[in-house]
Each structure stands twice: as C-alpha cells, then as structure tokens.
C-alpha cells in the first residue's frame, strides 16, 4: 500500500468521516481558510490513481468514497513506523511514546485494561 502525503491524508480523513461525498462537500468540511475547489479535486484524483478512492457518477458529477478502510491504512502506517524507527519492536515503540508523553503508571494500566477488553 502506498503512503499518502499530509494533504492526501487530510482528505482521506474527511472521506472516512463522511463515508462519501463530492468535492464540494469535502471542501466544505475543511476549517477556514478552506482549500480551493480545484486543489481538492486534484488531490481526490491522485487518491483515485493510488486506488484509495473510487467514485460513482451522479448526475453530471462524481460521488467519491474510500476504497481503503481507515483501520487498514492505520495498521499499515503503524507497522511502517514501528519497522522504520523501532526495528519492529512494539515494546520499544510503546516505551518511546510513554516517555515522550509522560504517561503515568495509572494511565498505562487503564490502557492495558482497555486492550484486555478488546481481546475478549
């Protein structure tokens, strides 16, 4: 799976939240100052060429929707981060983020309880 630029990720986040939309609805979702319609349209076409987005015709326009699920992309991005910066060690990555974000033992225990719930 290809990596996305920041601008491409921003648009994918919007499409994941919306489920689907035309370029105008994507532009409308951005905070001020909103990007130009043509800029968003170009990025959506790039996402289409990278096979992250597909569309269906509706009237004279297109309705775009994600082909790649957010969880799938997140998992791939996290794996790439872990492999690239932490030599594939989940333990090293978690330790780094705990130290960097000053996570307390209580917060870590709460995270572990949450993870254990999801395993069941």
């Amino acid at each position: 799976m290809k990596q996305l630029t920041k601008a491409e990720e921003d648009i994918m986040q919007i499409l994941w939240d919306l489920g689907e939309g035309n370029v105008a609805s994507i532009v409308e979702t951005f905070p001020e100052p909103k990007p130009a319609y043509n800029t968003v349209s170009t990025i959506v076409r790039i996402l289409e060429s990278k096979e992250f987005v597909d569309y269906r015709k509706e009237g004279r326009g297109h309705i775009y929707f994600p082909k790649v699920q957010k969880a799938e992309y997140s998992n791939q991005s996290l794996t790439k981060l872990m492999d690239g910066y932490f030599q594939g060690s989940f333990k090293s990555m978690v330790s780094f983020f705990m130290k960097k974000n000053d996570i307390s033992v209580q917060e870590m225990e709460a995270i572990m309880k949450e993870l254990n719930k999801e395993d069941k």
Side-chain angles (χ1 to χ4, degrees):
M1 182 181 305
K2 296 179 181 175
Q3 279 299 115
L4 300 179
T5 66
K6 173 73 170 112
E8 292 165 349
E9 279 190 9
D10 289 346
I11 289 176
M12 284 305 300
Q13 290 291 345
I14 290 169
L15 279 174
W16 283 321
D17 289 343
L18 292 175
E20 64 179 23
N22 60 15
V23 173
S25 65
I26 295 169
V27 171
E28 186 59 35
T29 306
F30 274 94
E32 293 293 338
K34 297 187 183 301
Y37 181 95
N38 288 342
T39 302
V40 172
S41 179
T42 299
I43 294 169
V44 168
R45 284 195 301 277
I46 291 168
L47 287 166
E48 187 183 347
S49 72
K50 289 183 173 184
E51 299 184 354
F52 275 80
V53 168
D54 205 353
Y55 70 90
R56 70 174 187 280
K57 286 191 78 60
E58 191 168 286
R60 292 181 1 180
H62 294 105
I63 302 295
Y64 296 96
F65 54 90
K67 283 179 69 174
V68 173
Q69 297 302 312
K70 185 175 185 176
E72 180 185 352
Y73 182 71
S74 297
N75 187 45
Q76 181 262 337
S77 296
L78 188 58
T79 300
K80 184 172 180 166
L81 174 72
M82 190 169 59
D83 290 345
Y85 293 97
F86 302 100
Q87 295 73 45
S89 170
F90 182 72
K91 181 180 173 185
S92 294
M93 184 176 72
V94 170
S95 176
F96 171 82
F97 284 110
M98 282 183 63
K99 291 173 187 169
K100 193 74 172 160
N101 294 300
D102 197 26
I103 295 176
S104 70
V105 172
Q106 292 82 9
E107 289 172 311
M108 191 60 200
E109 286 175 353
I111 291 168
M112 293 304 296
K113 284 180 185 175
E114 208 47 49
L115 289 172
N116 286 333
K117 280 185 207 173
E118 291 178 14
D119 284 344
K120 295 179 182 178

